[in-house]
């Protein structure tokens, strides 16, 4: 049986989510130990527990150690079932991370599924909804998989209360055509605001316009209704055949200019890197790429997160990842997946 | 409470008041959003004034009776951070007394300007779970036990276990305590120490009052215990408070309680139950709240059967019964007690006395042997050491002095009838065959041997069979054996007819 060290590498919830997702896909049971062992609150937190229970529901799995604070979990799926699911996450936990957990399995299931997830839609340390919708889903389409996303309610940390719906169609996998970068990227800004004074959004918008040379109508301010206050600065970058989304969350005690400044800095780095795929999108693409069996793309230097993710995937699927820096272009990396010999 | 990633509340019972419905709805809906795993149950309390201790306590106490919490099935926490201070105190008290079978949950607000949910911690009132606190308790128990043993490092396991029990019970209970055991086993001493311990722990402020019931007779008994009004009887020239009243707020030690007269028993029972009684010649009752410790060397159960002691009074004082073993049953404790008596004599007289080494060995060897009956127990030991100390030339107890003391003790114990400590098994066998008088004339040496021989004879029908068992080892080494003859001669030496000794 597969035994996974949950404290290895990045050592957080990602190891757990990848393992859960691929166990459902392959039907392989696994034991994960030292879950988040080196974190300040080690073991399963409530949002992780929700992910475990969601995966268990989708795959009819038997679990041991699915308890709060547990650092050891045994997971044995029985039968993967497509259908209607609804998961509610406490503590304003990220809806996109729970989606990420069950998505690979439902893409491999026998019929279409609809998953409703309640919780946070724009969380720190998690992909924001628009990133999944506009950057990740179109690439999935190109690989032969269907994912339609709808945001019903916004949910911001710490109040939560958001809701997303994912319509998932089984995939007929095809290898990913290496995405290409266009000469003239198109940028669009969008700022979400809930229960926060309007001038905050205006100040953020003016930073984006000034620093990135955007026109007045190229940055939108969108007030939304949510259970609690929230502020998100987003920049959509049309990089050619790929769309990237860069975001920053407004924080108490951080000036509006600085929040927008973070987006500007990340966008500039991505534009300067001269690759179509950023760090976070690269991370998300590993599993679909492995499920498709082959493919490659160029990106920035892979993060610890990405490397750990690749290692866990290799434990479940008969694939191998090659992460190589381009010989002639420093800072440009090529990630390739191939069948393991 | 419901926002923490590492705390999951499955069922939240929210205490509220009917007039706070709107607030309740808002809180319940927030919880539904942030913690979909939680079900919220509403409990309306009817408290007019949340700062009125009686009202709040009453309402919460009522709640403990109808919440139907099952600590086996659920891990129950009582959140005591919200509510008036009075409510918090009541929640604490009810949890501490296990009316809520729960641990306490305490939450703290987040740092200013932070979106984090703040802090939480669980406080388990089972303080023994905390190492440091447990250590302090252990230390306190140790001190309490040492006090009960008058600082004597006793080694007898049975006695030390008894002291451990007393140390647990005495501070935790105000119910009567019954101390049994032979005379001189230290009942009065222990009662005094229990009083001291309870005083030290601030549980008793009043005095220690002691009386031997055997010394109370007639009118005098009632007046001594319950007091009298002036003129209640001839010679009652002034009011007298009585021992029960004097012991108010303190401890009353009634030694030899089995000797108490019937009227006094009835009055004592009422005084224990009602905490009030009627002094002699008075028409007004007086109050007195005291802790009773009773001592007896009699079997009170037997006294009840014989109609000499009230059954209801025995039931009342028999809740905590501690049997103090006699000194002979505590031979390991003789040495530390000898040292203690030496110290005490030295302190009283202001002159140091000690044994020389061989004298000490000889004394202890005798004192811990079976030959030392210690009929009067600690009273005997105290008297013996007092004699030795008083007679010690130049503060040294010599071998000659010890020999003389041993002879004296032996003679004392022989003179006394053997019935004092109750008949032993040996004595029963002997008496049945040779009669009381001749048993008393026997050396212990012979008594033990003869008793065993007689017991063996009873199991056999012939002297030969009994002899074979008795001489089983030595008969193998002899050419010719006549066990029957050997046994007959032995029995005749004590005037025992072999025909009577044998079994049917």
């Amino acid at each position: 049986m597969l035994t996974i060290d949950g404290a290895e590498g990045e050592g957080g919830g990602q190891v757990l989510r990848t393992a859960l997702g691929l166990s459902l896909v392959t039907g392989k049971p696994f034991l994960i130990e030292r879950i988040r062992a080196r974190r300040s609150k080690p073991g399963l937190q409530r949002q992780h527990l929700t992910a475990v229970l969601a995966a268990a529901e989708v795959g009819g799995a038997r679990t041991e150690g699915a308890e709060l604070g547990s650092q050891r979990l045994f997971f044995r799926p029985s039968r993967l079932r497509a259908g209607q699911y609804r998961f509610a996450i406490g503590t304003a936990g990220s809806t996109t991370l729970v989606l990420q957990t069950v998505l690979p399995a439902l893409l491999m299931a026998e019929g279409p599924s609809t998953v409703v997830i309640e919780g946070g839609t724009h969380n720190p340390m998690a992909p924001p909804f628009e990133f999944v919708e506009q950057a990740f889903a179109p690439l999935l389409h190109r690989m032969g998989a269907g994912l339609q996303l709808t945001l019903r309610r916004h949910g911001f940390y710490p109040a939560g209360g958001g809701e997303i719906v994912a319509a998932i169609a089984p995939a007929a996998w095809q290898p990913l055509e290496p995405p290409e970068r266009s000469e003239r990227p198109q940028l669009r800004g969008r700022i979400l605001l809930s229960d926060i004074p309007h001038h905050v959004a205006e100040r953020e918008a003016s930073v984006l316009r000034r620093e990135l040379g955007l026109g007045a109508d190229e940055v939108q301010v969108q007030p939304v209704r949510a259970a609690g206050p929230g502020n998100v600065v987003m920049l959509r970058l049309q990089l050619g055949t790929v769309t990237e989304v860069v975001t920053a969350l407004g924080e108490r005690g951080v000036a509006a200019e600085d929040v927008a400044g973070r987006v500007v800095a990340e966008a500039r780095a991505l534009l300067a890197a001269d690759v179509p795929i950023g760090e976070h999108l690269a991370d998300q693409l590993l599993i679909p790429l492995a499920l498709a069996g082959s493919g490659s793309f160029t990106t920035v230097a892979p993060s610890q997160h990405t490397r750990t993710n690749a290692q866990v995937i290799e434990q479940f699927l008969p694939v191998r990842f090659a992460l190589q820096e381009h010989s002639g272009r420093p800072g440009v990396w090529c990630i390739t997946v191939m069948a393991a010999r | 409470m419901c926002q923490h990633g590492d705390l999951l509340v499955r069922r939240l019972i929210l205490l509220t008041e009917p007039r706070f419905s709107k607030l309740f709805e808002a809180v319940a809906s927030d919880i539904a959003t942030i913690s979909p795993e939680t079900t919220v149950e509403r409990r309306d309390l009817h408290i007019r004034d949340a700062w009125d201790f009686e009202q709040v306590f009453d309402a919460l106490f009522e709640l403990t009776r109808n919440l139907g919490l099952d600590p086996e099935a659920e891990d129950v926490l009582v959140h005591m951070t919200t509510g008036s201070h009075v409510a918090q105190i009541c929640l604490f008290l009810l949890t501490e007394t296990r009316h809520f079978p729960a641990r306490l949950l305490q939450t703290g607000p987040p740092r200013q300007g932070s979106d984090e949910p703040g802090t939480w911690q669980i406080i388990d009132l089972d303080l023994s779970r905390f190492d440091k606190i447990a250590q302090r308790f252990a230390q306190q128990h140790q001190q309490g036990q040492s006090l009960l043993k008058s600082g004597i490092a006793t080694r007898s396991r049975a006695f030390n276990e008894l002291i451990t029990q007393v140390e647990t019970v005495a501070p935790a209970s105000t119910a009567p305590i019954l101390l049994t055991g032979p005379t001189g086993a230290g009942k009065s001493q222990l009662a005094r120490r229990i009083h001291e311990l309870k005083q030290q722990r601030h549980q008793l402020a009043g005095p220690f009052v002691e009386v031997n019931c055997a010394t109370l007779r007639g009118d005098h008994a009632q007046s001594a215990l319950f007091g009298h009004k002036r003129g209640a009887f001839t010679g009652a020239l002034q009011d007298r408070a009585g021992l029960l009243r004097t012991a108010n707020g303190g401890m009353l030690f009634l030694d030899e309680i089995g000797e108490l007269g019937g009227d006094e028993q009835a009055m004592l029972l009422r005084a224990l139950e009602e905490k009030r009684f009627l002094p002699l010649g008075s028409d007004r009752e007086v109050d007195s709240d005291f802790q009773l410790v009773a001592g007896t060397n009699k079997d009170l159960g037997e006294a009840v059967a014989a109609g000499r002691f009230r059954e209801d009074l025995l039931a009342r004082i028999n809740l905590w019964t501690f049997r103090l073993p006699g000194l002979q049953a505590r031979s390991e404790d003789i040495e530390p007690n000898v040292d203690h008596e030496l110290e005490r004599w030295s302190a009283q007289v202001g002159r140091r006395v000690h044994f020389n080494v061989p004298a000490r060995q000889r004394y202890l060897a005798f004192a811990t042997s079976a030959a030392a009956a210690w009929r009067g127990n600690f009273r005997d030991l105290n008297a013996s050491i007092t004699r030795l100390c008083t007679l010690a030339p130049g503060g040294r107890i010599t071998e000659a002095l010890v020999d003389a003391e041993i002879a004296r003790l032996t003679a004392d114990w022989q003179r006394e009838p053997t019935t004092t400590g109750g008949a032993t098994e040996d004595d029963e066998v002997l008496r049945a065959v040779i009669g009381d008088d001749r048993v008393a004339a026997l050396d212990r040496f012979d008594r033990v041997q003869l008793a065993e021989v007689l017991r063996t004879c009873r199991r056999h029908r012939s002297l030969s069979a009994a002899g074979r068992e008795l001489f089983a080892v030595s008969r193998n080494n002899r050419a010719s054996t006549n066990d029957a003859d050997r046994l007959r001669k032995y029995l005749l030496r004590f005037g025992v007819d072999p025909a009577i000794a044998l079994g049917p």
Side-chain angles (χ1 to χ4, degrees):
Chain A
M1 187 188 40
L2 269 176
T3 301
I4 292 162
D5 182 353
E8 183 75 14
E10 180 263 340
Q14 182 60 52
V15 179
L16 174 69
R17 285 187 292 270
T18 301
L20 288 170
L22 295 184
S23 172
L24 291 175
V25 167
T26 58
K28 288 183 190 171
F30 72 97
L31 176 71
I32 181 168
E33 291 174 317
R34 302 208 297 148
I35 301 170
R36 303 180 71 255
R38 288 175 292 142
R39 300 299 163 99
S40 69
K41 286 176 180 169
L44 296 175
Q45 301 288 295
R46 279 169 65 185
Q47 55 166 329
H48 306 118
L49 194 56
T50 308
V52 172
L53 298 177
E57 195 180 330
V58 168
R62 190 167 71 82
T63 60
E64 278 169 37
E67 286 156 29
L68 207 60
S70 169
Q71 290 192 35
R72 197 163 184 279
L73 172 78
F74 171 76
F75 187 87
R76 180 194 290 280
S78 65
R79 209 176 71 84
L80 183 57
R81 195 173 54 82
Q84 312 282 316
Y85 293 99
R86 172 178 282 271
F87 306 118
I89 317 164
T91 66
S94 162
T95 49
T96 56
L97 289 180
V98 169
L99 175 63
Q100 193 188 64
T101 308
V102 297
L103 179 63
L106 294 176
L107 286 173
M108 304 296 278
E110 282 179 358
S113 301
T114 310
V115 184
V116 180
I117 310 175
E118 292 170 73
T121 54
H122 295 80
N123 289 57
M125 315 292 289
F129 174 80
E130 287 77 3
F131 171 86
V132 181
E133 181 203 24
Q134 296 167 20
F136 178 64
L139 284 171
L140 216 52
H141 275 274
R142 249 183 272 163
M143 296 175 70
L147 172 62
Q148 295 286 344
L149 286 160
T150 315
L151 189 143
R152 280 194 186 152
R153 280 196 312 273
H154 287 83
F156 302 104
Y157 186 84
E163 186 176 304
I164 65 170
V165 183
I168 301 161
W173 293 109
Q174 35 190 294
L176 179 66
E177 287 290 313
E180 292 192 9
R181 178 79 180 255
S182 74
E183 289 302 312
R184 308 189 52 170
Q186 274 197 339
L187 310 186
R188 289 288 182 276
R190 199 161 141 228
I191 293 159
L192 303 182
L193 206 63
S194 161
D195 202 12
I196 298 275
H198 204 264
H199 69 86
V200 171
E202 288 305 330
R203 283 153 59 201
E204 289 166 343
S206 67
V207 170
L208 293 189
R209 290 185 190 111
R210 188 179 68 234
E211 297 297 319
L212 298 170
L214 298 178
D217 58 345
E218 290 176 322
V219 180
Q220 279 182 1
V221 173
Q222 185 190 347
V224 297
R225 285 173 62 99
N231 169 224
V232 187
V233 179
M234 294 186 283
L235 189 70
R236 188 173 142 188
L237 302 91
Q238 196 70 53
L239 296 174
T241 56
V242 176
T243 302
E244 264 287 10
V245 177
V246 172
T247 55
L249 302 184
E251 260 180 72
R252 228 192 254 257
V254 178
E257 287 74 12
D258 294 338
V259 176
R262 288 175 190 171
V263 171
V264 170
E266 200 181 328
R268 280 184 177 150
L270 188 57
L271 291 170
D274 197 24
V275 291
I277 308 277
E279 176 191 327
H280 300 301
L281 192 50
D283 206 29
Q284 300 291 319
L285 279 178
L286 295 188
I287 290 180
L289 220 57
L291 291 175
S294 67
S296 75
F297 58 87
T298 54
T299 179
V300 293
S303 63
Q304 170 90 59
H305 214 272
T306 304
R307 287 178 183 278
T308 306
N309 210 2
Q311 283 164 10
V312 178
I313 295 168
E314 284 172 349
Q315 285 184 267
F316 279 93
L317 295 172
V319 296
R320 206 162 55 76
F321 284 95
L323 284 67
Q324 277 172 322
E325 192 169 10
H326 230 279
S327 52
R329 298 161 67 196
V332 175
W333 285 65
C334 186
I335 296 183
T336 311
V337 65
M338 58 204 106
R341 277 193 302 131
Chain B
M1 205 196 313
C2 296
Q3 268 184 295
H4 294 277
D6 51 353
L7 177 69
L8 178 52
V9 180
R10 292 266 177 217
R11 184 155 85 98
L12 181 70
I13 301 168
L14 204 55
L15 307 183
T16 176
E17 292 178 43
R19 62 195 162 117
F20 294 139
S21 274
K22 262 193 167 165
L23 186 57
F24 170 81
E25 296 303 335
V27 170
S29 114
D30 279 355
I31 291 173
T33 303
I34 200 62
S35 190
E37 302 96 323
T38 309
T39 56
V40 179
E41 293 168 28
R42 174 176 178 167
R43 286 285 177 146
D44 278 335
L45 299 183
H46 297 273
I47 298 173
R48 263 170 297 119
D49 179 359
W51 295 92
D52 182 305
F53 185 86
E54 197 178 349
Q55 268 184 40
V56 175
F57 190 91
D58 191 53
L60 289 172
F61 184 74
E62 183 64 26
L63 186 73
T64 64
R65 301 163 69 97
N66 58 33
L67 264 186
L69 295 173
D70 180 4
E72 294 292 317
E74 293 176 304
D75 186 10
V76 186
L77 302 175
V78 167
H79 186 234
M80 55 167 288
T81 306
T82 54
S84 69
H85 288 176
V86 170
Q88 292 177 349
I89 290 167
C90 293
L91 285 172
F92 172 86
L93 289 174
L94 289 166
T95 308
E96 208 255 346
T97 49
R98 304 296 298 162
H99 284 94
F100 285 117
R103 293 180 295 165
L104 293 174
L105 173 66
Q106 198 177 23
T107 55
R111 276 178 297 114
Q112 193 134 38
S114 162
D115 280 337
E116 299 297 314
T119 58
W120 63 272
Q121 76 184 117
I122 288 175
I123 304 163
D124 192 336
L125 288 172
D126 181 357
L127 295 181
S128 61
R129 293 192 185 200
F130 300 97
D131 278 354
K132 270 205 178 133
I133 298 173
Q135 258 175 33
R136 286 198 81 96
F137 280 166
Q139 211 177 0
Q140 199 190 18
H141 285 310
Q142 199 95 55
Q143 284 165 358
Q145 287 167 22
S146 172
L147 175 84
L148 291 175
K149 297 193 285 191
S150 308
I152 304 170
T154 55
R155 302 166 192 161
S156 156
R157 225 182 96 195
F159 182 72
N160 286 345
E161 272 168 15
L162 175 103
I163 291 296
T164 306
Q165 284 172 18
V166 174
E167 199 269 338
T168 311
V169 168
S173 166
T174 56
I177 293 176
L178 179 62
L179 303 177
T180 70
T183 172
K187 297 186 287 285
S188 155
Q189 178 86 347
L190 182 58
R192 215 178 275 276
R193 294 287 168 261
I194 294 173
H195 175 253
E196 209 175 308
L197 180 71
K198 296 193 85 152
Q199 249 184 354
Q200 237 179 41
R201 306 232 173 127
H202 309 289
Q203 291 169 332
L204 278 184
F208 180 78
V209 176
E210 177 180 11
V211 68
N212 187 327
C213 298
T215 65
L216 302 174
R217 287 280 179 262
D219 273 355
H220 170 65
Q222 280 190 26
S223 117
L225 287 171
F226 306 100
H228 63 238
K229 288 297 285 180
R230 185 179 152 197
F233 52 88
T234 316
L237 301 176
Q238 278 172 341
D239 284 0
R240 182 178 179 184
L243 297 170
L244 266 66
R245 178 86 182 124
T246 311
N248 189 18
M251 182 180 283
L252 178 65
F253 177 54
L254 295 181
D255 202 2
E256 299 200 35
I257 194 166
E259 303 296 319
L260 208 58
D263 290 349
E264 288 79 17
Q265 288 179 29
M267 290 172 77
L268 177 63
L269 179 64
R270 193 172 132 66
L272 286 173
E273 276 168 355
E274 313 277 326
K275 300 190 191 310
R276 43 194 306 131
F277 55 87
L278 202 58
L280 215 57
S282 170
D283 42 20
R284 219 182 314 143
E285 288 194 319
V286 295
D287 294 327
S288 182
D289 190 1
F290 55 88
Q291 156 114 50
L292 178 72
V293 179
T296 183
N297 56 7
K298 295 266 166 59
D299 182 342
L300 289 181
E302 222 168 67
V304 168
R308 289 193 307 273
F309 201 78
R310 292 181 69 107
E311 191 170 9
D312 45 8
L313 180 59
L314 177 60
R316 193 79 181 77
I317 63 174
N318 200 19
L319 179 60
W320 299 111
T321 303
F322 299 102
R323 184 176 164 74
L324 275 93
L327 192 52
Q328 204 183 21
R330 292 173 57 190
S331 58
E332 315 90 306
D333 287 346
I334 286 176
E335 186 171 3
N337 272 294
V338 165
D339 290 335
H340 177 73
E341 293 294 340
L342 283 174
E343 288 286 334
R344 201 158 72 156
W345 193 86
S346 300
Q348 269 170 15
V349 181
R351 187 157 63 85
R352 289 211 70 80
V353 175
H354 40 105
F355 282 95
N356 73 32
V357 175
R360 182 183 171 92
Q361 279 169 356
R362 194 172 296 184
Y363 186 78
L364 288 176
F366 167 76
T368 57
S369 71
W374 295 117
R375 293 241 162 76
N377 294 299
F378 286 94
R379 215 164 280 150
D380 283 356
L381 184 68
N382 172 267
S384 171
I385 298 295
T386 304
R387 281 192 295 269
L388 286 168
C389 289
T390 312
L391 298 174
R396 286 180 78 78
I397 300 172
T398 60
E399 288 152 274
L401 216 50
V402 165
D403 285 342
E405 178 61 22
I406 289 174
R408 181 187 169 130
L409 286 171
T410 313
D412 278 357
W413 293 331
Q414 282 236 302
R415 250 202 315 280
E416 281 179 52
T418 54
T419 49
T420 38
T424 67
E425 205 190 332
D426 283 357
D427 288 353
E428 271 173 36
V429 176
L430 292 168
R431 264 190 233 129
V433 181
I434 64 175
D436 283 4
D437 290 351
R438 271 152 69 198
V439 173
L442 283 179
D443 278 335
R444 184 165 178 76
F445 178 89
D446 291 318
R447 223 184 277 180
V448 174
Q449 194 175 31
L450 183 58
E452 178 61 20
V453 169
L454 290 176
R455 268 195 294 270
T456 310
C457 286
R458 264 188 197 177
R459 288 198 298 270
H460 296 279
R461 288 209 195 137
S462 73
L463 283 180
S464 305
R468 267 199 296 281
E469 187 182 329
L470 286 164
F471 303 116
V473 177
S474 62
R475 70 197 302 269
N476 293 332
N477 303 329
R478 275 185 289 167
S480 69
T481 52
N482 192 343
D483 297 327
D485 186 49
R486 213 172 150 195
L487 182 53
R488 181 182 296 110
K489 282 175 180 157
Y490 176 81
L491 290 173
L492 289 173
R493 233 170 69 210
F494 295 97
V496 176
D497 181 353
I500 295 172
L502 285 169

